[in-house]
Amino acid sequence: MRRTASPLSLVSVGLGTFLLVLAGLLAWYVEPRAERTTLDIDTSTVFTGTGSYFDTAKIRTVQDQRITITRQVRGDVAESERSGRAVWDAVTSVDTDKTLPASDPHDALQWTLERWVTDRRTNAPVHCCGEQPAFQGEAYLKFPFHVQKRTYTWWDNTLGATVPLRFSGVTKVQGYEGYRFTGTVAPARTGSRLVPGRIVGLPKKGQVLAEEWYANHGIELVADPTTGRILYAAIGPRKTLRAPGSAKDAAVLLDSEKIAFTPATQRQQVGFARDDNDRLTLLGTTLPLVAGALGALLVVAGAVFVVRGRGGRTAAEGPEGPGSPGGPDPDTSPTTLETSTM
């Protein structure tokens, strides 16, 4: 008789096969689907810098003032789950030292409420779910996953259009490596505003529908290469008023060469990026490697046990079994002798 495979060897082969399949699923199915924009985001980013702004109390532009931009982003989880999209509400406040802390948004130099809706996988804009504004481009509050070293179109909400941001090399933020993108915005008319004529150099006119103009001295963004999360951001906004039809700025509403993420915001963003990358590495690399290696080991060990079990003999067949050294010769066994004498 030959031995049957032991239960332990069969369990080993079965478990090993399961781990090998699991490794493939984690690497090629689970991890790519984990690359999705977060739904339940709730973060604040803070920019600070020095510049000029129009002081409505003094009715003139004041220089060398500290300017703070605070943006709070919260995910609308219920709407996101219903639509299958990433639905984020963003509140942005531009303040001076006089309006901080911002107890009333009406005190701020500028206060806006926006709803951003994007495809969770591609980061492309999706026009649904009360989106406001209707934006375009490839990057907004973040870049797509797996950022490439190329030019991206960035949505500038003040401009109301996209801005090309060129890849400008690899840099580090708080010791963490990211891709740097830069660009500028040439002066462009963005709207109109009813103001006293003297503000735009027309003192003889009571109220004038002045032209609003916007430019940006420089946009600099550093993105995490894997997740597209913004690690560092700096902007140089310039907003002015012009008399109707004029080619010159008559009043400066806001102007700064550079307003950038505070060190605290940079550390926060880097921390988020590390956590995101650790999670993706765990799902896409660490667990598949461990599961694959352990699965292969178990399959090989189980197969060896099966082969050995089936190739052995039972205790009744050896070592004194028929034909074995020291055992009875089949030709002289009692059965053979009896048969020959009948």
Side-chain angles (χ1 to χ4, degrees), residues 83-107:
S83 65
R85 314 296 185 179
V87 183
W88 290 0
D89 294 318
V91 176
T92 304
S93 177
V94 182
D95 292 279
T96 67
D97 287 345
K98 293 181 179 179
T99 61
L100 286 174
S103 57
D104 186 345
H106 295 92
D107 295 334

Side-chain angles (χ1 to χ4, degrees), residues 221-254:
L221 301 175
V222 179
D224 173 51
T226 300
T227 66
R229 185 182 289 274
I230 304 300
L231 308 173
Y232 174 84
I235 56 176
R238 177 177 173 83
K239 298 181 68 175
T240 60
L241 292 178
R242 296 182 182 181
S246 175
K248 295 182 179 181
D249 294 331
V252 174
L253 300 178
L254 177 67

Side-chain angles (χ1 to χ4, degrees), residues 160-180:
T162 57
V163 177
L165 295 185
R166 301 177 303 277
F167 174 73
S168 301
V170 178
T171 188
K172 288 188 175 182
V173 177
Q174 302 291 325
Y176 189 90
E177 192 171 275
Y179 290 173
R180 180 172 177 264

Side-chain angles (χ1 to χ4, degrees), residues 3-20 293-311:
R3 293 179 181 174
T4 59
S6 69
L8 179 61
S9 63
L10 295 178
V11 169
S12 178
V13 172
L15 180 58
T17 303
F18 169 76
L19 289 175
L20 288 175
L294 183 57
L297 182 62
L298 288 173
V299 168
V300 171
V304 170
F305 292 151
V306 170
V307 170
R308 285 184 177 179
R310 291 180 176 177

Side-chain angles (χ1 to χ4, degrees), residues 143-297:
F143 281 76
F145 285 93
H146 301 292
V147 183
Q148 301 175 16
K149 297 178 180 180
R150 63 173 177 83
T151 297
Y152 279 84
T153 52
W154 176 269
W155 176 261
D156 187 320
N157 199 41
T158 304
L159 179 64
T162 57
V163 177
L165 295 185
R166 301 177 303 277
F167 174 73
S168 301
V170 178
T171 188
K172 288 188 175 182
V173 177
Q174 302 291 325
Y176 189 90
E177 192 171 275
Y179 290 173
R180 180 172 177 264
F181 296 87
T182 57
T184 58
V185 178
R189 183 178 176 179
T190 57
S192 58
R193 179 183 299 191
L194 192 64
V195 299
R198 64 191 182 96
I199 291 180
V200 291
L202 300 174
K204 294 183 179 180
K205 293 188 176 181
Q207 297 288 319
V208 174
L209 194 61
E211 299 176 359
E212 290 186 338
W213 283 71
Y214 165 74
N216 205 302
H217 300 290
I219 302 171
E220 179 183 1
L221 301 175
V222 179
D224 173 51
T226 300
T227 66
R229 185 182 289 274
I230 304 300
L231 308 173
Y232 174 84
I235 56 176
R238 177 177 173 83
K239 298 181 68 175
T240 60
L241 292 178
R242 296 182 182 181
S246 175
K248 295 182 179 181
D249 294 331
V252 174
L253 300 178
L254 177 67
D255 189 22
S256 176
E257 290 287 338
K258 185 176 183 179
I259 305 176
F261 272 1
T262 64
T265 293
Q266 294 175 40
R267 288 191 294 270
Q268 169 190 273
Q269 295 301 103
V270 167
F272 288 150
R274 289 187 191 276
D275 291 343
D276 291 342
N277 277 276
D278 287 347
R279 176 173 54 85
L280 292 175
T281 300
L282 179 67
L283 290 174
T285 304
T286 305
L287 288 180
L289 286 177
V290 172
L294 183 57
L297 182 62

